[in-house]
């Protein structure tokens, strides 16, 4: 039996997972999202076309591939319908190849409202305000509404009523309880019809696919440092982007997942608040932001920019069993000299090799940098390792040395073609 692959981000998201999944997805039969929701924004550029996927796996852009939104995902029915319409209007055929788990939890308008209110009045995390945190909170509190529940009108009505009643003290500034209920109910019949057309027992589908020897690519959203358990808590998302969650979030047994590939950007970015030891000041940050088009694919917010932080990448490698890396956006660093990479932190005279748990200490870290020579020339046309400028090769070599895993892919542009395949023996290429 063949084993499956997880593709995940090793930093704070937006590493270029969409591009990598689109590239490797050719060898997959199924492409599966297992956590997160439409807080994700995965960009795919091919044949002069440009797409941003939020909830639907990036593999949907590969003709004939089947895609699953697993039980670990939180699904906003309105956002999903909009995304399906957007894709169909651009000639992407989805019929019969998109399945949404009956056990996935739904995001309802009140989750979005609560997310917005909490951002204003609680700890300001800089969330995407898509209702992700409040929906996962309900799931864990066992008052969540799953797709299966949503499809049963009487049950849905009761659950909705109870939840709105309990949450009303927080929402009362937005209008009357019955007004809110009516608003949600007005949209419900159409959304229910839509969701029932793609809802399925996806665990059974994937387990059958696994038994038949079909290949599954698990597409993570967000990044290792946004993981609610292993990230920079509380400045994280409310799910586990980590590889272990691929099993929990789909029902495919953990030992069937043999390959884990981490996507690492040649520098670091972060949207939203939270510690970011290698964040760099302007004018270099603005230069990289403009050159790399570093604006949120979901919210349009400017991303914070920093040097490559190998302590962060190393922790992602260890926690997720990453065996290969795909390095993206190396092209953006051309013309910058010297290049820096963080290999440890200093805190009050002490050298730290790991990201500390204390949020106070996290805010006070001083990065310890290694300097590397920069490269002046544009590398976007390079397709072979030997054609890369020596300084660029040394930059990649250092990443391998510090993380202990090979860089299998080097991406030098947005489109599929702008990629250098470095090592062979990877069965997904
Ligand atoms: P994701 O969330 O991990 O899929 O990443 P995003 O799509 O949010 O952000 C990555 C951005 O970088 C997108 O605009 C991609 O088109 C772009 N991108 C990906 N790889 C490369 C690359 O190697 N070079 C350049 N210049 N842009 C890239
Ligand atoms: P992709 O899949 C980058 C960040 C938000 C915020 C924090 C919590 O495109 O890499 P949430 O709305 O999830 O409760 O917000 O997480 N965040 C992301 N940052 N890329 C993402 O997804 C993100 N999804 C959430 O900015 O800091
Ligand atoms: Mg993104």
């Amino acid at each position: 039996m063949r084993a499956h692959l997880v593709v995940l981000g090793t930093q704070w998201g937006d590493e270029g997972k969409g591009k990598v999944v689109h590239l490797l997805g050719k060898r997959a039969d199924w492409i599966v999202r297992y956590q997160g929701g439409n807080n994700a924004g995965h960009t795919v550029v091919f044949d002069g076309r440009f797409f941003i996927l939020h909830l639907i796996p990036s593999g949907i852009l590969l003709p004939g591939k089947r895609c699953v939104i697993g039980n670990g995902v939180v699904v906003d029915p309105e956002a999903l319908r909009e995304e399906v319409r957007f894709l169909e209007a651009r000639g992407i055929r989805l019929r019969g190849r998109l399945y949404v788990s009956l056990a996935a939890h739904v995001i309802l308008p009140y989750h979005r409202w609560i997310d917005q209110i909490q951002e204003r009045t609680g700890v300001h995390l800089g969330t995407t305000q898509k209702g992700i945190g409040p929906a996962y909170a309900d799931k864990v509190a066992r008052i969540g509404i799953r797709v299966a529940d949503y499809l049963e009108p009487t049950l849905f009505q009761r659950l909705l009523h109870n939840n709105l009643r309990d949450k009303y003290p927080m929402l009362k500034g937005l209008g009357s309880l019955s007004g809110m209920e009516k608003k949600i109910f007005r949209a419900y019949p159409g959304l229910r019809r839509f969701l029932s057309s793609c809802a399925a027992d996806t665990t059974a589908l994937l387990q059958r696919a696994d038994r038949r020897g079909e290949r599954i690519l698990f597409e993570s959203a967000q990044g290792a440092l946004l993981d609610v358990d292993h990230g920079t808590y509380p400045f994280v998302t409310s799910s586990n982007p980590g590889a272990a969650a691929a099993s929990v979030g789909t029902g495919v047994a953990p030992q069937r997942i043999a390959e884990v590939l981490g996507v690492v950007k040649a520098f670091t970015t972060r949207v939203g608040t939270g510690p970011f030891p290698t964040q760099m000041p302007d004018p270099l940050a603005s230069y990289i932001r403009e050159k790399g088009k570093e604006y949120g694919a979901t919210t349009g917010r400017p991303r914070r920019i920093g040097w490559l932080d190998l302590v962060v990448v190393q922790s992602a490698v260890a926690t997720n069993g990453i065996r290969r890396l795909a390095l993206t956006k190396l092209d953006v660093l051309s013309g910058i000299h010297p290049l820096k990479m963080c290999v440890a932190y200093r805190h009050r005279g002490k050298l730290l090799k790991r990201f500390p748990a204390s949020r106070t200490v996290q805010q006070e870290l001083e990065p310890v940098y290694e300097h590397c020579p920069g490269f002046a020339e544009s590398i976007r046309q390079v397709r072979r390792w030997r054609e890369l400028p020596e300084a660029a090769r040394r930059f990649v070599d250092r990443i391998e040395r510090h993380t202990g895993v090979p860089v299998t892919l080097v991406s030098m542009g947005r489109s599929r073609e702008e990629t250098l395949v470095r090592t062979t023996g990877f069965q997904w290429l």
Side-chain angles (χ1 to χ4, degrees):
M1 265 199 293
R2 285 167 162 171
H4 313 304
L5 168 73
V6 178
V7 173
L8 53 79
T10 58
Q11 294 152 318
W12 278 284
D14 304 327
E15 297 88 352
K17 298 177 291 294
K19 168 171 173 170
V20 173
V21 167
H22 189 244
L23 202 71
L24 303 182
K26 276 184 288 185
R27 295 253 187 266
D29 300 293
W30 299 79
I31 296 103
V32 179
R33 278 278 307 271
Y34 57 90
Q35 47 68 235
N38 59 321
N39 48 351
H42 296 180
T43 313
V44 180
V45 179
F46 66 105
D47 301 340
R49 307 186 76 193
F50 174 94
F51 291 88
I52 297 177
L53 283 311
H54 297 288
L55 200 44
I56 299 177
S58 304
I60 205 74
L61 300 172
L62 295 162
K65 302 294 178 191
R66 280 163 293 172
C67 290
V68 166
I69 295 176
N71 56 276
V73 177
V74 282
V75 179
D76 183 330
E78 279 183 73
L80 181 61
R81 185 171 64 181
E82 208 174 291
E83 196 165 330
V84 165
R85 285 178 177 165
F86 172 88
L87 290 171
E88 283 180 343
R90 279 154 191 78
I92 310 297
R93 296 166 66 116
L94 286 91
R95 193 166 289 276
R97 59 190 197 97
L98 176 66
Y99 305 91
V100 180
S101 170
L102 283 160
H105 282 243
V106 293
I107 297 180
L108 290 160
Y110 56 81
H111 294 120
R112 291 196 296 268
W113 299 332
I114 292 170
D115 199 353
Q116 287 156 18
I117 293 167
Q118 284 175 336
E119 277 291 282
R120 269 204 316 273
T121 59
V123 188
H124 178 68
L125 301 175
T127 74
T128 58
Q129 305 199 9
K130 302 289 183 191
I132 306 295
Y136 276 117
D138 281 3
K139 171 178 176 174
V140 179
R142 292 161 297 181
I143 55 165
I145 300 179
R146 300 166 311 151
V147 170
D149 309 324
Y150 188 83
L151 297 181
E152 286 184 38
T154 318
L155 175 64
F156 174 63
Q157 187 163 16
R158 180 165 56 79
L159 296 174
L160 174 71
H161 179 79
N162 292 346
N163 282 357
L164 270 178
R165 187 196 53 209
D166 292 349
K167 292 172 196 299
Y168 190 64
M170 191 168 198
L171 298 171
K172 62 176 182 280
L174 301 177
S176 71
L177 181 60
S178 65
M180 286 176 193
E181 213 162 355
K182 271 197 202 116
K183 190 168 170 187
I184 294 173
F185 258 102
R186 223 172 297 129
Y188 174 67
L191 287 171
R192 178 177 171 272
R193 222 174 308 122
F194 160 73
L195 207 51
S196 67
S197 71
C198 47
D201 178 349
T202 55
T203 299
L205 283 178
L206 292 173
Q207 289 177 351
R208 202 177 314 134
D210 179 45
R211 281 197 300 274
R212 285 200 207 113
E214 295 170 1
R215 286 177 155 203
I216 305 172
L217 190 163
F218 296 94
E219 173 176 353
S220 177
Q222 290 82 51
L225 272 283
L226 287 172
D227 189 295
V228 67
D229 283 274
H230 299 285
T232 44
Y233 192 89
F235 303 98
V236 292
T237 192
S238 298
S239 67
N240 295 109
S247 173
V248 180
T250 61
V252 175
Q255 69 269 39
R256 298 294 306 131
I257 300 165
E259 281 285 356
V260 184
L261 178 133
V263 186
V264 53
K265 204 186 284 203
F267 45 97
T268 313
T269 61
R270 178 159 205 182
V271 242
T273 44
F276 186 176
T278 65
Q279 186 168 3
M280 58 169 76
D282 279 338
L284 191 52
S286 304
Y287 172 79
I288 292 178
R289 184 178 303 112
E290 296 315 312
K291 190 169 173 194
K293 300 193 174 60
E294 293 293 354
Y295 289 88
T298 297
T299 57
R301 290 176 291 174
R303 294 175 181 156
R304 298 155 70 195
I305 312 284
W307 292 110
L308 178 61
D309 187 337
L310 288 174
V311 181
V312 159
V313 178
Q314 176 52 42
S315 106
V317 165
T319 307
N320 297 291
I322 290 171
R323 302 209 310 176
R324 291 168 187 275
L325 291 171
L327 178 68
T328 60
K329 306 195 88 155
L330 189 58
D331 56 302
V332 178
L333 294 184
S334 73
I336 301 172
H337 176 81
L339 297 172
K340 296 198 223 173
M341 45 176 78
C342 169
V343 294
Y345 309 118
R346 211 177 293 283
H347 182 258
R348 301 194 180 160
K350 256 177 71 187
L351 197 68
L352 305 179
K353 295 266 190 182
R354 291 175 53 78
F355 216 94
S358 155
R359 19 179 139 169
T360 320
V361 177
Q362 285 179 9
Q363 296 286 1
E364 297 170 351
L365 296 172
E366 266 177 65
V368 176
Y369 287 118
E370 269 187 24
H371 290 66
C372 324
F375 47 97
E377 50 278 67
S378 163
I379 56 168
R380 289 190 57 186
Q381 309 303 324
V382 173
R383 300 293 173 266
R384 289 203 191 131
W385 177 247
R386 261 174 278 120
E387 290 164 16
L388 267 184
E390 197 198 331
R393 276 184 284 163
R394 278 172 55 190
F395 186 81
V396 180
D397 285 344
R398 284 203 197 187
I399 296 174
E400 292 190 327
R401 207 172 57 235
H402 279 291
T403 58
V405 285
V407 173
T408 297
L409 283 177
V410 184
S411 167
M412 278 157 311
R414 301 184 106 175
S415 74
R416 190 163 43 189
E417 296 70 37
E418 292 169 308
T419 312
L420 179 158
V421 176
R422 202 168 161 221
T423 47
T424 49
F426 182 42
Q427 52 164 330
W428 286 83
L429 273 168

